[in-house]
Amino acid sequence: MGFDVENRLLTKARQGNVQAFEELSGSYYTKVYNICYRMLNNPDDALEQAQETFIKAFRYIKDFKGNSSFSTWIYRIATNTCLDFIRKNNKNKNIVSMEQATFEDITVKDRLVSSMPGPEKIAETNAQKAAIKEALEKMNEKNRMIIVLRDFMGLSYEQISETLETPVGTVKSRISRARSELRELLCKDKEHLFTDYVK
């Protein structure tokens, strides 16, 4: 969607035009759902909170000042909606799912597996995937969040900064701390699976 088209739709959506809002937000639905799914680890909860995200976005779009892009604004609503849901439902475990994510989604020292793995490498990859899933479940909420946004969703430092309303420098240090925590968790009992990552 072009910048001019998005601005035109934004103007109409701010005036309460539902069709304009649906057209504007439609291209972001998949990413919003993916954020919710990977944070909540439940497709029904993810669908519900994705819908809640867009309901909130429509409700408050008249207050959107355009200081950030529409995409990062709606990602911010999604992350806050999921965090609220987690806190209300006491979901402190199994927040991030690895089952539907390809291994290339995770930038741990650029990559963990070759692009054309053989049978042994596939078995190793499955073990790595399980180990990372287990480690992510043990991470604190803020570190898990930053890993989802950066390494799963592929957002830039600037996009994460806008999404979390946090300075870029803080984002970089949080990513570093989050990856350090993940690395330490992996090193405890899975060193042989992550020889490239833990060096």
Side-chain angles (χ1 to χ4, degrees):
M1 182 182 298
F3 181 76
D4 291 339
V5 174
E6 182 166 293
N7 273 346
R8 188 162 58 250
L9 291 172
L10 265 172
T11 299
K12 290 182 178 179
R14 286 194 187 104
Q15 296 168 351
N17 187 311
V18 176
Q19 184 177 348
F21 176 79
E22 289 178 348
E23 188 176 343
L24 174 67
S25 61
S27 59
Y28 300 108
Y29 183 83
T30 299
K31 276 206 169 186
V32 166
Y33 175 82
N34 285 339
I35 288 172
C36 296
Y37 179 78
R38 285 164 177 161
M39 288 181 65
L40 303 175
N41 194 27
N42 181 294
D44 293 332
D45 290 343
L47 180 61
E48 180 182 324
Q49 298 313 306
Q51 291 173 340
E52 180 67 16
T53 293
F54 287 104
I55 289 170
K56 288 180 179 177
F58 182 69
R59 184 183 305 151
Y60 297 113
I61 195 166
K62 62 182 181 297
D63 300 321
F64 175 57
K65 306 299 183 187
N67 296 326
S68 64
S69 66
F70 179 78
S71 61
T72 53
W73 180 71
I74 206 161
Y75 298 157
R76 183 187 312 144
I77 295 174
T79 55
N80 288 334
T81 298
C82 287
L83 287 173
D84 288 344
F85 181 83
I86 290 166
R87 289 170 186 140
K88 286 176 184 176
N89 290 275
N90 247 345
K91 291 190 176 219
N92 296 317
K93 294 182 178 180
N94 299 321
I95 304 301
V96 179
S97 172
M98 290 287 298
E99 292 178 11
Q100 294 187 2
T102 61
F103 224 64
E104 288 72 22
D105 285 339
I106 305 173
T107 53
V108 284
K109 200 157 184 179
D110 294 330
R111 63 186 204 170
L112 291 171
V113 295
S114 66
S115 58
M116 297 182 65
E120 294 85 0
K121 181 61 72 174
I122 290 172
E124 183 178 295
T125 296
N126 289 336
Q128 289 173 332
K129 185 183 293 187
I132 290 182
K133 181 178 185 294
E134 181 181 344
L136 285 169
E137 289 169 356
K138 295 177 181 177
M139 295 178 73
N140 72 52
E141 189 177 278
K142 287 186 177 181
N143 284 353
R144 190 161 45 227
M145 166 78 76
I146 208 82
I147 290 290
V148 168
L149 293 177
R150 177 63 176 173
D151 294 335
F152 278 76
M153 304 310 300
L155 299 190
S156 67
Y157 295 132
E158 291 75 17
Q159 287 174 315
I160 296 172
S161 172
E162 292 177 359
T163 299
L164 301 182
E165 297 182 301
T166 303
V168 170
T170 302
V171 167
K172 290 180 179 179
S173 64
R174 283 182 58 184
I175 290 171
S176 178
R177 285 197 301 272
R179 288 176 174 166
S180 178
E181 181 185 3
L182 178 59
R183 182 168 57 248
E184 288 172 8
L185 288 166
L186 291 171
C187 284
K188 284 184 179 179
D189 56 359
K190 306 290 190 304
E191 260 183 61
H192 63 289
L193 296 175
F194 299 94
T195 53
D196 289 335
Y197 183 46
V198 301
K199 285 178 182 176

